[in-house]
Amino acid sequence: MAKLVSSWSNGVKFIPKDYVMPPERRAGDYITVCKEIPVINLEDDRSEIVRQILKACQEFGVFQVINHGVSDKMMEDMMALYDEFFNLPVEDKLGVYSEKLRKGCTLYTSGLEYAKEDVHYWKDTLKHPCHPVEEHSPSWPDKPYRYKEEVARYVVEVRKMGFKILDMIGEGLGLREGYFNEVSQEHSMAINRYPPCPNPSLAMGIAGHNDPNLITFLQQDHYGLQILKDGIWMGVEPIPNAFVVNLGYQFHVISNGKLKCVEHRGLLNSSVSRTSIVTFLGPNPELPTVVEPAKELVTSSNPRMFKSYRYNEFIANYLVMAYNRKSGSRNGYALDPYRL
C-alpha cells in the first residue's frame, strides 16, 4: 500500500527518481486547451445531434456531451465520493489493493504492473466491473459506506446514456438500431487519481494510448486530458458536468475505418489532485466475441480494411504490447496484425 502515490506524495518537494520520465517520454511544453473539440447538446434535435456526433467521430474520435441525462448532483456526488475514497486511511483500502491489475475490483498504482516498470506513472487507479450490478457490486469497496449504493445508481444512468449515444452513432453510419448492443457486453469503470506533483514537467499521469474497447465515457474535474490529432497534442477542456466521449479500437474496426480511435494521455499539475471517472463499454474480454467491419459499410469504393478476429485474442495481444511499449509507438499499432 505504501506504493500508492496518494499515500506518500502529499507535501513532497522532489520527484523520486523512479517517477522521473526520460526526456523522450515527457509531455513537453504545456499545451493550451483546444476549443475545436465539439461539445454536443443531447437535448437538441435528434437529426442534428446525429450529424454532429458522426462528424466529431470522423474528425476527432472524441467529443463532449452536455444535457446527457446524468444529473449534475449525481456527477458532483461521484467526485466527492472518490475524493473521500482516495483519502481513506490505508487500512480501509487493503481489501481491494494489489500491486498489479487483476480481474475483479482492484486498487493499484502506476501502470499495469508496478514491479515490471522501469519508471512509474504518478497515478493511482481503482478499477472494477459494473454490469450486472448485482453480480459485481459485492466486490466493490466497503468504504465509504455509501459507495455501493451511489455507484450502482451512477452505473445505470451512464449505461443508459451510453447506449443512447451508440444508437445515434449507428444511425449516422446507417446501421440498424441496437447494432452495438452485441459488442457491448462489458461495462467497467476505472477511477484515476493524479495527486499534485512537485514538477509536472518531469513526470506523467499516463502515456499516450488508445483504448482497446468500443467506446469510453470520462468525467473529469481538472485539466489534464489531451488527445493527439494530426501529430499535435490538444488539451480537452474540463467542462463542468460534461462527459468526454472517445472511441476505442473496436469502433475503428467496425466502422471499417470511417471513425477514428483517438490516442490520448493524462498530464499532471502542481496544485490540485485530478480525478477522472472513466466508464468503458465494449466486448467482454472473457468471451470469444467476433469483431469485424460491419458488412453494411464494406463497398467497392470502401473495401474491407480489417480481418475478423476474436476480441479475447485481441485483448491478450494488446496487453502484451502495452507491457512492452516504452514510448513513441505509432498510433494504431495494436491493429497492425488485423489489417488487410
Side-chain angles (χ1 to χ4, degrees):
M1 287 291 280
K3 292 182 173 66
L4 290 173
V5 181
S6 54
S7 71
W8 57 260
S9 63
N10 185 33
V12 298
K13 303 298 183 184
F14 302 98
I15 301 175
K17 63 180 182 180
D18 52 344
Y19 285 84
V20 176
M21 290 285 164
E24 69 275 10
R25 295 172 62 183
R26 298 173 192 170
D29 295 335
Y30 182 87
I31 299 170
T32 57
V33 170
C34 174
K35 298 294 185 180
E36 298 174 22
I37 296 171
V39 179
I40 299 171
N41 184 349
L42 293 189
E43 290 184 348
D44 282 348
D45 174 73
R46 183 180 176 92
S47 61
E48 177 60 17
I49 297 171
V50 170
R51 186 194 68 78
Q52 290 180 21
I53 289 179
L54 199 67
K55 186 171 185 287
C57 291
Q58 291 169 332
E59 293 184 4
F60 291 90
V62 65
F63 54 95
Q64 299 202 61
V65 292
I66 57 174
N67 295 322
H68 38 63
V70 184
S71 74
D72 291 356
K73 184 179 187 306
M74 178 175 285
M75 297 181 76
E76 291 160 5
D77 286 348
M78 288 293 288
M79 279 293 174
L81 176 73
Y82 286 115
D83 187 61
E84 187 175 338
F85 172 81
F86 284 104
N87 284 303
L88 284 171
V90 166
E91 56 270 21
D92 289 335
K93 295 180 282 193
L94 281 172
V96 293
Y97 175 72
S98 173
E99 290 193 5
K100 61 181 179 180
L101 177 61
R102 62 191 181 193
K103 296 177 184 177
C105 185
T106 312
L107 172 64
Y108 62 101
T109 194
S110 190
L112 295 172
E113 191 161 355
Y114 186 92
K116 293 184 177 181
E117 297 171 351
D118 59 334
V119 64
H120 307 304
Y121 295 114
W122 196 272
K123 168 182 77 77
D124 298 329
T125 299
L126 175 68
K127 188 169 186 178
H128 60 66
C130 295
H131 183 81
V133 168
E134 59 274 13
E135 177 182 332
H136 295 295
S137 60
S139 70
W140 297 352
D142 293 321
K143 293 183 179 180
Y145 294 112
R146 66 187 188 281
Y147 187 98
K148 294 177 182 179
E149 180 182 352
E150 289 195 5
V151 174
R153 289 199 298 265
Y154 182 82
V155 164
V156 170
E157 295 306 311
V158 173
R159 187 174 179 82
K160 188 187 306 179
M161 173 194 70
F163 280 99
K164 177 181 178 181
I165 291 172
L166 284 172
D167 272 345
M168 287 192 283
I169 297 175
E171 181 178 329
L173 289 171
L175 303 176
R176 59 178 168 77
E177 184 177 356
Y179 182 93
F180 292 106
N181 295 5
E182 300 166 10
V183 285
S184 302
Q185 307 102 327
E186 186 195 35
H187 179 165
S188 61
M189 289 175 65
I191 302 86
N192 300 307
R193 179 73 158 195
Y194 306 92
C197 178
N199 192 340
S201 67
L202 297 180
M204 283 292 291
I206 189 68
H209 64 284
N210 294 77
D211 290 342
N213 55 299
L214 182 68
I215 192 168
T216 301
F217 306 93
L218 178 145
Q219 178 186 343
Q220 60 176 340
D221 55 357
H222 298 289
Y223 175 69
L225 175 65
Q226 295 183 340
I227 66 162
L228 186 66
K229 185 177 189 297
D230 301 326
I232 299 172
W233 286 103
M234 307 168 66
V236 180
E237 182 180 8
I239 299 173
N241 302 318
F243 281 95
V244 181
V245 184
N246 72 265
L247 304 187
Y249 277 132
Q250 308 316 308
F251 236 124
H252 186 60
V253 171
I254 292 169
S255 72
N256 201 36
K258 285 182 174 290
L259 307 185
K260 291 186 176 182
C261 56
V262 64
E263 185 170 354
H264 52 287
R265 67 185 184 183
L267 305 192
L268 305 165
N269 67 66
S270 60
S271 57
V272 294
S273 290
R274 176 175 177 262
T275 301
S276 64
I277 304 172
V278 190
T279 298
F280 303 101
L281 291 180
N284 186 333
E286 302 297 315
L287 299 176
T289 305
V290 174
V291 178
E292 61 186 1
K295 293 177 176 58
E296 298 89 332
L297 303 180
V298 177
T299 64
S300 57
S301 59
N302 189 39
R304 183 172 175 143
M305 295 177 59
F306 300 96
K307 307 172 187 176
S308 301
Y309 56 83
R310 298 188 186 279
Y311 185 69
N312 56 345
E313 296 172 0
F314 172 87
I315 281 293
N317 292 334
Y318 175 88
L319 291 175
V320 169
M321 291 180 181
Y323 274 118
N324 294 332
R325 186 187 190 201
K326 300 301 181 186
S327 65
S329 296
R330 179 177 53 78
N331 186 20
Y333 67 103
L335 290 178
D336 285 349
Y338 310 102
R339 298 181 191 276
L340 292 173

